[in-house]
Amino acid sequence: MAPYMLDFTVYRPPDEWRVNYDKSWANGPSWRDFIQERSEFIEKVACKSGLDVNGTFLPPAVNPTVSKDYTTDMKTAMIEAEMVMGGAVAEVLEKTGIKPEEVDILITNCSIFCPTPSLASMLVNKFKFRRDIEAYHLAGMGCSVGVVAVGLVRDMLAAHPNSIALFVPCEVTTYCYYPGNNRDMLVSNAIFRAGGAAMIMTNKPSLYSRCKYELHSSTRVHTGQDDAAYRCISWGPDEEGINGVYLSKDVPIQAGKMLQAVIAAATPKIMTWGQYAEAAVNIFGRKMLGRQWPRYVPDYTKCMDHFALHAGGYAVLKGIQKGMNLPLEMMLPSFASLRDYGNTSSSTTWYSMGYLERFGLVKQGQRIMQVGAGGGMKGGVNIWVALRDTHDTHRAWIHIDRPYTELDMPRPINEPAKKAANGTAANGAPAVNGAHKDIAADATAKVRGHIGAAGPKLPGARAASKSAIERAIEAESAIEAKDFGGAVML
């Protein structure tokens, strides 16, 4: 049986954890090692990163709104971990009615905070999971693992039929706080915020009727073979021996290369029949006939209904938007997550999916593209297919009663032009000229006529008809890496 998602939750921290910049400025000078210039830099970065300056959350231990000084020891960090991870798990178990003794597989992740016993063991102890549970913790994998590890959950379920898996992505901000002066490391203080998620996947036939989504595909790419990619994001000491998250000036370049690679790898798996025909004609015309057509970039809004993108910062989302030529309405769920919750590392995309469900935007049969990016460098793309219409309030989003617009955002998203005179499509992609489009339409009709109307639903027919063009599209990288050049602060 294919893997399905039964349900998921995203954690909303208590209101007393809310960051308020006026109160933070009042309390900041009382913190040891306070430096005015450093605080001004953090505020400047936060304001430019698309966060609501009075709307995100930090635990009291590192929250200048409520604390007279910071505390970053492991005991205090564990308090945050238990609240966030335990809160998300308790909520998803309550929503689904799944009892702890029914969970067969448990996978947790937290990149920086890695205590012994592990955070997976902490949850085993807290919820009294079975003695024979397959429990694993993933550490040091950065922001992308909330998407990438779904592939691991899928593979674990494939090895264990008729099972239930619980995945808990989180980052513990208490332990990530950086009190030093290196600006490449201070950025994390400005954008990383408390948050976490929990999701249940299963291959139990008895639970199928209750599941929300089917996992259509899970794609991952790792560019750590390149030294620059491997070293551009890290956790460790600065020149004074103070630990923090390091973000080098190479991050935009390396993030662009990684995002280009993972999107290009995922693209052939999701294109429509018409897009395959257009791509085939484009490649044949350019490679074999020498036509001066622009490289083919599919209109992602025609093969995907919704997008949940890594809300690592304003520039991250703008970079992905530019690379995929996505319109404003497709970006709002991810910008909303950034606005209200900041960069919650591996759980960011789950907040975006929660936002989509909050307003009943997901309908049966629609597809959601979930894109994760993070240090290493590595990234992942999951495609979820909705099994039913979903309108789920989600506690994390109950504070708003209508979908956000661009006017609600701290910074404008800048919707791409509807149409330009230079032949671009409404979403900013190069338009297919008339002859190219007519040829593609004719090819599409012939392909459909050959395999029958049900063709796209038949895996064998799909593989036979598309495998060659899939390889061609991926090989020539349907998206330019430079298009993602604005992606920073992962």
Side-chain angles (χ1 to χ4, degrees), residues 117-155:
S118 71
L119 293 174
S121 295
M122 178 271 289
L123 291 177
V124 169
N125 178 262
K126 186 177 184 69
F127 291 94
K128 310 306 179 188
F129 292 116
R130 296 198 320 260
R131 286 190 174 189
D132 64 342
I133 191 170
E134 297 259 6
Y136 304 95
H137 178 70
L138 308 175
M141 294 189 68
C143 300
S144 64
V145 70
V147 174
V148 169
V150 168
L152 175 61
V153 178
R154 172 203 60 196
D155 295 342

Side-chain angles (χ1 to χ4, degrees), residues 209-286:
S209 62
R210 295 168 49 196
C211 290
K212 281 185 175 179
Y213 301 97
E214 178 181 2
L215 181 62
H216 170 278
S217 61
S218 182
T219 306
R220 65 174 298 176
V221 163
H222 203 309
T223 59
Q225 306 85 2
D226 182 85
D227 287 347
Y230 173 70
R231 300 181 189 284
C232 69
I233 299 178
S234 63
W235 160 265
D238 64 8
E239 56 277 5
E240 298 178 358
I242 303 172
N243 284 330
V245 177
Y246 169 72
L247 300 169
S248 82
K249 293 178 175 58
D250 286 338
V251 170
I253 297 172
Q254 300 307 323
K257 291 179 179 178
M258 182 276 295
L259 284 166
Q260 176 273 330
V262 73
I263 296 294
T267 294
K269 302 176 184 179
I270 62 175
M271 290 165 56
T272 66
W273 286 104
Q275 289 173 328
Y276 271 102
E278 290 175 1
V281 171
N282 179 281
I283 293 173
F284 182 80
R286 289 189 296 107

Side-chain angles (χ1 to χ4, degrees), residues 19-26 42-43 46 53-54 65 190 193:
V19 175
N20 179 286
Y21 269 75
D22 290 335
K23 292 182 179 179
S24 295
W25 270 106
I42 293 173
E43 181 187 34
V53 295
N54 295 312
T65 299
R193 294 293 184 263

Side-chain angles (χ1 to χ4, degrees), residues 30-41:
S30 68
W31 284 31
R32 62 186 182 277
D33 305 323
F34 172 82
I35 298 176
Q36 182 81 10
E37 182 181 359
R38 179 174 61 197
S39 295
E40 290 175 352
F41 173 75

